[in-house]
Amino acid sequence: MSQHSILNIFIFSFFHLIFAIDVPLDPNIQKDLIQPPTITKQSVKNYIVDPRDNIEIECEAQGNPYPTFSWTRNGKFYNVAKDSRVSYRRYSGTLVIDIHGGGRPEDYEGDYQCFARNEHGTALSNKILLQVSKSPLWPKENLDPVVVNEGASLILQCNPPHGLPPPVIFWMSSSMEPITQDRRVSQGLNGDLYFSNVLRQDAQTDYSCNARSHFTHTIQQKNAYTLKVLTTRGVAERTPTFLLPTGTSSSKLVLRDEDLLLECIASGVPTPDIMWYKKGGELPNQKLKFENFNKTLRIVKVSEEDTGEYFCQASNRMGSIRHTISVRVKAAPYWLDEPKNLILAPGENGRLVCRANGSPKPTIQWLMNGEPITVPNPNFEVAGDTIIFREVQSGNSAVFQCNASNDHGYLLANAFVSILDVPSRMLGPRNQLIRVIEYNRTQLDCPFFGSPIPTLRWFKNGQGSNLDGGNYRVHENGTLEINTVRKEDQGKYTCVATNILGNAENTVRLEVKEPTRIVKGPEDQIAKRGSTVRLDCRVRSDPSLRLTVTWMKDESQLYISNKMKKEDDALTIFGVAEKDQGAYTCVAKTELDQDFAKAYLTIQETSSSPTSRLTSTLRDKPDPPMDLELTDLAERSVRLTWVPGDDNNSPITGFIIQFEENRYQSGTWHNLASVPGNVNTAVLRLSPYVNYQFRVLALNELGSSMPSPSSERYQTNGAAPEINPSDVRGVGTRKDNMEITWTPLNSTQVYGPNLRYNVKWRQRHTGEPWSNVTVWGNRHVVWHTPVYTQYEIRVQSENDFGKASEPGTVFGYSGEDYPKAAPTDIKLRVVNSTAIALSWTRVAPASIRGNLLEYRAYYWRESSLLKGHWVSQKKQHQSFIGDRVRGIVSQLIPYSNYKLHMVAVNGRGDGPKSDTKEFTTPEGVPSAPTNVKVYEPNRETVVLEWGPPEHPNGNLTAYTLRYQAFNGTRLSKAVVETLSLNQTKYIVHRTDPVSRYRFFLSGRTQVGAGEVKTVESPIKQDEASPTSVAPSSPVPVTDVPTEVPTVPPTTTGATKTMPPTTISATTTVFATTTGTESSLTTVTSVHELATFGHLLWNVTAVPNSYWANISWMHNLEPDSKLMVEYKDSNETKIGIPVKAHPPFIQLTDLIPGMTYRLRVYSQENPSIQSPLLTFQTSSAYTRNQVDIATQGWFIGLMCAVALLVLILLIVCFIKRSRGGKYPVREKKEVALGPEDQKEEDGSFDYSDEDNKPLQGSQTSLDGTIKQQESDDSLVDYGEGGEGQFNEDGSFIGQYTVKKDKDETEGNESSEATSPVNAIYSLA
């Protein structure tokens, strides 16, 4: 079982006085513990049932032993066994009454109450009033026609028969057409139909009152009224009069949290308007609604502040009248503090509190096991709304009932008091093995339980003193935390829990493993196409852990093809191509940790010699497609055809089709489809109301072509939207509003003109009608909302062609306000010298006024108990996430006076402060001595000097010094000395001139030894340093810690990573050499002491020019949501959401040479964050540096110079030989001399093996005749014939040389003798 799972099943705390025991949720524990009964489920107090169904009166309970059930009916014992139609549901106290078998439901109406009993007490349900739904028939009656004058008022009475529950009333005609209601004609709350004035068209229909039953859903129709309207020439206008209510004033009584309904209906000609006012104040707009055409005023969930006088005013142009309604708000009882179950150990104290409010003030009655408490009891004392228990004993368990009642109702709550007498026992698995990486933080769990609460102690290897302090910290739940694990911490740890009933112990074995480190990682490389590349990944890890090394390319798993070879320490790629270019990451992973290193491989095109350019094929990206044509035009599709461009000697592998529309994002191209390279047509699926334009790009192995010319435009017809906006949210930005936002539809989802959004909202669980508004953007703010109220929200898309489908409902909240109450009843207990345990009473939910994020304890150090010791009174805080009632404040400074207060915190901020508490921390162990240094004044002595600890944490009594000599891996016997308080110097006389010395120095108080400072004597000049760079490293590594660590280092290749015991920042600079260029990679980290309460630490950055690898350590849940936030020097902030695991991320698209500040924090609770980390990216460098001799412009220039020299030679030869006669010599082939080798500097050999000198000719300076790809010889300009000379030196035939047939067949690449050959042959 993992450490986290044990923590999840174990909840433990220990407080005396009024603090109760929390029982672990472990079923193995709970099945052995006694528990009085607890009611877990019951029917509602007013229970109305359908007469057609069987009746079930629910009552379920739990307890140990399992309770038995009994019932009372109308206050008397109900013998279930006597009625064959009544039975218990299996394994439950629920009554089942069989109506289908012929029973009459009316026979079972009455008050029922359930009793759940076991040997430890009795629990009671509420009194349940069972009533059967009734739907009586409408009495038959004959209604005469109603005669009324035009313009007069009229009331058509409904008078529905009484039903249970009351029926729903509505008016229709006898032909079942609904009666249209408006300002003039409307239905009152009593069901009557009111006419402010009658018009002649009102006689065109009849009027029938209808009643719909709640359970049967049957509709009963009253006989219809028929109107006869007497008309006159003109209807006289008249002032308003009230039809309802009558008179000038009335009163209304309403209960708290119910809805207040006030109604005014007036007659008059013309139809009066109704307005509402409150005397001496404003109407409560945040919970106010006007209904029935302003004739009804509804105030939802009234409170005492809504008491007062309201008046309605009816007015028309003839005058106005007013009616006053006096509203009184009373309240049935409601809880302020509902009693909670109490679990105590023998001899402990406790109390049950039952506080309720109401109007009138409710009376409190206590019962024990269902019986009133009438006589004093020696085990407890009843003091009004509180029962106080003192020194409880076994056998005092019972269930207490609190009944709070007034004229308007009652509340009944059960709370048991259970006295547990349990020996110490262990909850977690036995003999656990914990493996941890060296220098990490770890926790050894020891969940335990007992009553009374046991004390817990930890021991190592079965001996020694209790482990607590220094590098160890014991938490209240039994967990032993080791802040920084070292090799010497390996061993067997035993936890022992003790109470007066016995002991229990468990063992945890800790194994410390070496960290996994990549000592030589891959380096950025620039390789030529076709060459072989080796990427190093040399790893050092603990030999007992299973190591796996994997490779990733561009953040994806690398497939090892047959052209790759994966070795233990490297990856070799043979014959690299363009597709091999990218970022390669080596990941070394064990089951406990991992490390990774990344490098970028750049592939260059190979540069060919001029001769090879003549004989090899030139490859390039394809030319763009041409001649785009649209055919098969349809409503939602079109066929696009194109002509592919030249593939430039690399086959086309595919085409990408893009589109652009000019209504919303003109000029922006989007990918629409892709097809294989052997296809030149595609049917494209289109969206409505988009003015499309298409283009095509061709792809081959070398990349993408330029876009083709655009096609003609094609516009699709409009339609109603098919989808609604996504990511709908409702969040309050102020205490009286809610901002509704959403992600709008994109240009291909609009489907028509005038896209808009219908936004609806209403409070959840109120049944109120939806409010709505039409919005053209992507946000709407709802104002005048109650504080932190949940709303239902819907956002629907609509355009001129129609609406999208009905949207789903999302839930949002209005804005929060500051909490208006502080935690109360704060109790604290000193746990040890650096921690206190807190408990408090939670703030009532109504006072939170938002989402409770945490309770926060602010504390500050008032003074030190050391005389003359200055202290900082800077205020600090400890957060307790969620709705908790206890927690630990740690990292206090021992031997100090502190003050503390608490607040509740929601999304808006802190609430009011609680009362300030004072406490004193006891003496602790000191911090490490300061200014520790070692030097050797001569070859015979070693001197150790130090200063007192920065934090003595008590009265310093002595120093403990342990030292030993070592030479390589040989260690001498350790010497331990106890030094006086005033001594700050110690001299060691050498036993030999070669060994070095290692010192372990700590201070002591009365509590024990403090933090150890470890130092070593300096290295002699002629001694190899263990931290020096490995000989194979091309460039030295610089490690610059800002603070000297106090623990042994861990070697990582040529780098030393020093895990410190205090917060420090380390910057490590790696220098790598690639060809003629060098790059620096800086590793920046913030090392932090991983103490209790710290959840994020050791943030490390490994930057390059354009990216940085970020890693961190944490003890959060793996699926916790974090945010990696960084700023550059221009204060540009970027946040990247990540999961807590894996604990690393790569930042890309960084700016070379830029300084960044970075932090990691929790999205759920931003107060959980890492320290700020600053790192700098390295300067950019040019990867594709090439020799000038390989540049095309340089080769062309050299060819032009050679051509000019050739022409000058020919002109000189012609002038020199004009008029002379020379014999024609035979052309003979002679072997060429050795060729010059190519220079290593990147220049090329321009010799041509096919051009050989004539027999006896004079060779060039390098023994060859060179010809370049761009030579413009005279032969190249000829049209045919042989390029030979006659005997007098003049030309015969044309410049172009005709090849001999045999010569052509023998060597297809050979060339005809050029004029240059002739020049050398005649020289």
Side-chain angles (χ1 to χ4, degrees), residues 640-885:
L640 176 65
T641 307
W642 64 89
V643 176
D646 194 334
D647 64 6
N648 291 327
N649 303 308
S650 178
I652 294 176
T653 58
F655 295 96
I656 295 177
I657 303 170
Q658 297 181 330
F659 78 92
E660 179 262 356
E661 56 82 28
N662 59 2
R663 283 197 176 94
Y664 301 98
Q665 292 178 302
S666 179
T668 302
W669 291 88
H670 308 273
N671 289 346
L672 181 61
S674 59
V675 296
N678 59 351
V679 173
N680 71 331
T681 183
V683 176
L684 307 178
R685 301 298 174 191
L686 308 180
S687 297
Y689 198 65
V690 178
N691 194 17
Y692 283 99
Q693 185 174 233
F694 305 98
R695 71 182 187 186
V696 183
L697 290 81
L699 305 174
N700 66 8
E701 188 182 34
L702 300 179
S704 165
S705 72
M706 295 296 290
S708 70
S710 302
S711 71
E712 59 181 318
R713 287 199 176 271
Y714 177 63
Q715 179 171 333
T716 55
N717 294 327
E722 292 183 356
I723 64 172
N724 289 304
S726 59
D727 197 24
V728 178
R729 298 181 181 182
V731 178
T733 59
R734 288 178 31 174
K735 67 180 181 180
D736 59 348
N737 78 357
M738 178 180 64
E739 183 178 73
I740 303 174
T741 60
W742 57 91
T743 299
L745 274 58
N746 62 36
S747 57
T748 60
Q749 299 169 336
V750 172
Y751 286 12
N754 296 322
L755 177 69
R756 50 201 179 270
Y757 301 97
N758 296 324
V759 184
K760 298 181 180 180
W761 68 94
R762 69 177 179 184
Q763 289 188 32
R764 195 180 183 192
H765 301 312
T766 61
E768 65 181 14
W770 292 88
S771 300
N772 65 83
V773 68
T774 299
V775 179
W776 298 83
N778 67 334
R779 64 186 291 270
H780 175 70
V781 179
V782 181
W783 293 99
H784 307 301
T785 60
V787 173
Y788 199 65
T789 301
Q790 191 176 34
Y791 279 81
E792 298 176 77
I793 302 171
R794 296 177 182 176
V795 181
Q796 184 181 37
S797 307
E798 181 182 5
N799 61 23
D800 287 355
F801 289 94
K803 297 180 180 180
S805 59
E806 192 67 25
T809 301
V810 299
F811 301 105
Y813 282 90
S814 57
E816 302 178 62
D817 201 355
Y818 296 106
K820 62 179 182 181
T824 58
D825 203 17
I826 298 173
K827 300 293 188 299
L828 58 85
R829 179 174 63 87
V830 176
V831 177
N832 54 40
S833 60
T834 61
I836 60 169
L838 284 176
S839 77
W840 58 90
T841 299
R842 57 172 54 90
V843 175
S847 299
I848 296 297
R849 300 202 293 183
N851 179 29
L852 177 65
L853 298 179
E854 62 185 39
Y855 287 99
R856 186 177 296 168
Y858 287 97
Y859 59 95
W860 60 98
R861 193 179 178 197
E862 191 72 15
S863 62
S864 171
L865 294 180
L866 295 172
K867 293 183 178 180
H869 193 75
W870 180 86
V871 299
S872 169
Q873 294 185 342
K874 180 181 178 181
K875 187 175 291 187
Q876 298 173 281
H877 73 269
Q878 175 73 50
S879 296
F880 306 102
I881 309 300
D883 189 12
R884 298 168 56 181
V885 294

Side-chain angles (χ1 to χ4, degrees), residues 924-990:
V925 296
S927 62
T930 58
N931 302 323
V932 180
K933 59 183 179 179
V934 181
Y935 61 92
E936 299 181 4
N938 51 56
R939 289 184 172 273
E940 288 76 26
T941 59
V942 180
V943 179
L944 174 70
E945 290 185 352
W946 66 90
E950 181 181 1
H951 301 292
N953 296 335
N955 293 308
L956 210 60
T957 59
Y959 291 99
T960 299
L961 173 65
R962 181 169 67 90
Y963 65 91
Q964 62 183 146
F966 67 94
N967 188 357
T969 58
R970 292 189 302 242
L971 298 173
S972 68
K973 183 178 179 181
V975 178
V976 179
E977 298 279 357
T978 299
L979 309 178
S980 69
L981 171 64
N982 298 322
Q983 185 171 348
T984 59
K985 183 175 182 180
Y986 188 82
I987 300 176
V988 177
H989 295 278
R990 282 185 174 277

Side-chain angles (χ1 to χ4, degrees), residues 15 18 190 216 509 566 890 1062 1275:
F15 296 111
I18 63 167
N190 59 4
T216 62
R509 187 158 54 92
K566 180 186 173 186
S890 60
T1062 57
V1275 176

Side-chain angles (χ1 to χ4, degrees), residues 1222-1292:
Y1222 303 93
V1224 178
R1225 306 190 181 202
E1226 291 182 7
K1227 174 183 174 185
K1228 295 183 178 180
E1229 297 290 332
V1230 295
L1232 289 173
E1235 295 180 351
D1236 290 341
Q1237 299 296 323
K1238 296 181 179 180
E1239 296 295 331
E1240 294 182 356
D1241 60 355
S1243 61
F1244 296 94
D1245 183 359
Y1246 294 96
S1247 64
D1248 189 345
E1249 295 179 355
D1250 294 332
N1251 294 331
K1252 298 180 174 66
L1254 298 176
Q1255 185 179 5
S1257 65
Q1258 186 177 0
T1259 63
S1260 64
L1261 294 177
D1262 61 357
T1264 63
I1265 299 176
K1266 299 182 179 180
Q1267 177 162 343
Q1268 301 185 20
E1269 182 181 13
S1270 60
D1271 282 349
D1272 294 333
S1273 68
L1274 298 175
V1275 176
D1276 295 334
Y1277 296 98
E1279 297 177 356
E1282 298 183 358
Q1284 301 177 359
F1285 295 94
N1286 61 13
E1287 293 181 345
D1288 63 359
S1290 61
F1291 289 104
I1292 302 174

